[in-house]
Amino acid sequence: MRLPIDPQADIARRAWVACPACDDARHCAACADHRTCGDEHWRHLIADNGPVLHLQCPRCTHTWSLDTRPGLPHRNDGTSCL
């Protein structure tokens, strides 16, 4: 079952990271080289808690949290808000 796009999603707040559910960027040369590809493989940046990003894939609507500084202490407990 696909979820609706989060109401907090804003096209102006995006992140280019791999979606752990659909992996739609696996054959993208730009993504494989850690470069920003056109407007194809971006994710909605729903919210952030410091280094923890809360994301949603516009293709498969999967939501997840990504710690951009794993192993380092956080000001909060770093748990997901989704």
Side-chain angles (χ1 to χ4, degrees):
M1 180 173 106
R2 286 181 54 143
L3 299 170
I5 296 297
D6 189 287
Q8 298 298 315
D10 180 350
I11 192 86
R13 292 177 42 105
R14 299 181 281 181
W16 277 263
V17 296
C19 175
C22 71
D23 194 23
D24 62 341
R26 72 180 156 273
H27 299 299
C28 177
C31 289
D33 198 28
H34 302 289
R35 293 179 291 127
T36 301
C37 67
D39 280 332
E40 300 168 37
H41 304 120
W42 57 269
R43 314 303 168 202
H44 290 293
L45 175 58
I46 305 300
D48 68 271
N49 289 345
V52 179
L53 306 179
H54 307 290
L55 305 158
Q56 184 173 32
C57 177
R59 177 168 292 196
C60 71
T61 69
H62 176 69
T63 57
W64 75 102
S65 296
L66 174 68
D67 186 348
T68 62
R69 298 176 63 189
L72 296 177
H74 297 236
R75 285 184 292 215
N76 60 16
D77 65 0
T79 57
S80 172
C81 70
L82 300 177

